[in-house]
């Protein structure tokens, strides 16, 4: 699959293909977009997923405790229903956080622009510092 530069915005950080009319192999790195902002976004998404998973574990624990307590009339069914809704919200938050992490990892991957084919790079149109 060809990585397309228009997916990302940033400065070109490296351009390993040095000259025009350079033979390139399929998958060879053509240039790199500054990765730090995308790495930070990926790390933030990982942290958000970890937080969402912890919240889900707490909500599941609370729900189980309340399900036991409702049997002895220590809490109302309404409390159990509320805990169930909180567990469902926490579960949805985990799915959302996973999707955000997937997107952040995809964006991070697009910072490495590789040749989609074996061939000749006829012109180098990207130099270090170019805004892409």
């Amino acid at each position: 699959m060809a990585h397309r530069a228009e997916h990302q915005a940033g400065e070109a950080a490296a351009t390993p293909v040095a000259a025009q009319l350079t033979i390139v192999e399929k998958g060879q790195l053509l240039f790199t977009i500054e990765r730090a902002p995308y790495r930070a976004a990926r790390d933030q998404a990982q942290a958000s997923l970890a937080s969402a998973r912890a919240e889900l574990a707490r909500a599941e624990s609370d729900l189980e405790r309340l399900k036991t307590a409702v049997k002895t009339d220590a809490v109302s069914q309404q409390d159990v229903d509320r805990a169930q809704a909180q567990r469902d919200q926490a579960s949805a938050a985990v799915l959302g956080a996973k999707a955000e992490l997937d997107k952040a990892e995809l964006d991070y991957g697009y910072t490495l622009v590789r040749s989609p084919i074996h061939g000749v790079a006829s012109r180098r149109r990207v130099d270090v510092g170019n805004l892409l």
Side-chain angles (χ1 to χ4, degrees):
M1 178 175 137
H3 295 273
R4 298 170 50 175
E6 70 252 19
H7 287 275
Q8 295 309 339
E11 285 188 13
T15 55
V17 176
Q20 294 181 10
L21 301 177
T22 301
I23 295 175
V24 293
E25 300 296 326
K26 180 177 180 174
Q28 181 178 340
L29 184 64
L30 298 176
F31 61 92
T32 302
I33 297 171
E34 179 56 44
R35 302 185 89 193
Y38 299 101
R39 185 179 310 115
R42 183 199 60 192
D43 293 348
Q44 178 62 45
Q46 287 173 336
S48 293
L49 178 58
S51 177
R53 284 181 173 156
E55 182 59 28
L56 177 58
R58 186 202 56 78
E60 287 175 339
S61 176
D62 288 351
L63 178 58
E64 290 308 311
R65 243 188 324 276
L66 289 171
K67 280 182 176 179
T68 301
V70 77
K71 292 175 185 175
T72 61
D73 292 325
V75 298
S76 69
Q77 182 61 42
Q78 184 179 12
D79 292 333
V80 174
D81 293 344
R82 223 178 261 127
Q84 218 158 12
Q86 288 174 339
R87 191 262 332 260
D88 293 345
Q89 287 175 336
S91 181
V94 167
L95 292 175
K98 281 181 184 175
E100 285 298 316
L101 178 57
D102 289 346
K103 181 186 180 312
E105 287 177 340
L106 183 65
D107 288 346
Y108 184 66
Y110 283 139
T111 62
L112 299 176
V113 180
R114 299 183 180 279
S115 174
I117 60 170
H118 173 81
V120 176
S122 60
R123 283 192 238 163
R124 188 177 84 188
R125 297 181 178 182
V126 176
D127 292 310
V128 173
N130 286 155
L131 184 60
L132 305 172

